[in-house]
Amino acid sequence: MRIETLLVHAGHAPDPATGAVSLPIHLSTNFARDADGNLPHGFLYSRSENPTRRALEAALAPLEGGEVALAFASGMAATTAVFQSLSPGDHVIAPNDAYYGTAKVLREVFEQWGLSSSFVDMTNPGDIEAAVTPRTRLIWLETPSNPTLAVTDIAAAARIAASAGALTVCDNTWATPLLQRPLDLRVDIVMHATTKYLAGHGDVTGGALVLREDGELAARLRLIQTVGGGVPSPFDCWMVHRGIRTLAPRMRTHCDNAERVAAFLATHRTVEVVHYPGLSDDPGHEMAKRQMARYGGMVAVQIRGGAPAALAVVARAQLFTRATSLGGPESLIEHRASVEGPASRAPAGLLRLSVGLEHADDLIEDLDHALKG
Ligand SMILES: *Cc1c(COP(=O)(O)O)cnc(C)c1O
């Protein structure tokens, strides 16, 4: 079955109890036993398992070509579960431009628990290989990366991890399974902030892990999920599940619009550089062409004149909303260095755009006005 069809149908069937076509939301925290003490539907207590969460997990797994999916209360809860599955003394290699929360949880939470990490430039597989130590147990990938849309060769990184006896995890939030399928490239776990494109409307926080195999690692992560308790509410599961069903047409429009916006920005005199792997002269273009179907809805642009000039552009934007996050219907604009604070590695003049579902001409007119000042 093609992914567009899976997006609509996976984890979805009329409710056997009522015939309801839309997925029911099961708010109950507990489930009745029969007279013999058995649980007739297999559900005991909502933290362990819930019917609405089960439907969401059943929808997520096949999208990535995985055997099993685990839903979490946020992207960071999913990420944290992965690091919690490691042991003190283990070593993690992560991208030097990883999502700031990923880097922050490694440095400020897990270091204290004896998990060490190295942050490297993952555009060069040689740099990943050079960072491997005898204690390396996990290589974390994020591609295209945040905020400069750097592209990592997923298959090469997975080969390096396999020969080191380490797991490979890929944060696939920006690409979505429509544009990139890391499990097919021998990654072990795909992580999603479902908050973003999968839910797609900027109104729910969620995370997920999808594993290639339902084996020991899945059991360990399921234990952390259910006993650690970082699970999403039934309503949040329903919201994410509902969003997934329209991912294909939304993503098509995000990509169409981002391509138009990136091409426009690349010709503008006040623009120093546009980071978008869909542009033929982008350093990540050739790699992205090999491992992605299209290039996504995120664009970063460096404005001539550094932070003051970039902030002035943000201030003049009218249609682009000044807000963080990404993947919703409305276009967003953000000066990453101010948002990330003093530890930020984002270039001073860099603006990150989440290109939404408006008409591309309106977005370009708004940016044209904001850039001219
Ligand atoms: C937002 C995001 C996360 C974290 O997800 P939350 O739901 O905010 O916890 C992780 N990775 C990437 C790439 C993201 O964009």
Side-chain angles (χ1 to χ4, degrees), residues 73-77 79 99 102 140 142 144 146 171-174 191-196 204-207 325-326 352:
S74 67
M76 283 311 300
T79 297
Y99 175 72
T102 308
W140 185 277
E142 185 185 325
N146 176 30
D171 181 338
N172 207 28
T173 300
W174 284 26
M191 174 265 164
H192 277 286
T194 54
T195 311
K196 313 293 170 55
V204 59
T205 304
S325 200
L326 57 121
R352 194 183 81 176

Side-chain angles (χ1 to χ4, degrees), residues 196-270:
K196 313 293 170 55
Y197 289 105
L198 290 185
H201 293 75
D203 50 13
V204 59
T205 304
L209 300 175
V210 185
L211 285 86
R212 195 142 44 81
E213 287 168 22
D214 194 359
E216 254 173 62
L217 178 63
R220 179 87 196 144
L221 288 165
R222 192 181 287 112
L223 175 75
I224 293 166
Q225 176 203 31
T226 57
V227 85
V231 293
S233 77
F235 184 67
D236 288 357
C237 292
W238 184 87
M239 295 282 276
V240 175
H241 190 280
R242 171 193 168 114
I244 285 172
R245 307 189 78 205
T246 57
L247 181 67
R250 285 189 288 107
M251 220 48 212
R252 201 175 305 133
T253 303
H254 283 299
C255 291
D256 288 346
N257 285 353
E259 282 169 16
R260 291 270 322 271
V261 163
F264 162 75
L265 290 171
T267 63
H268 206 280
R269 66 189 158 72
T270 64

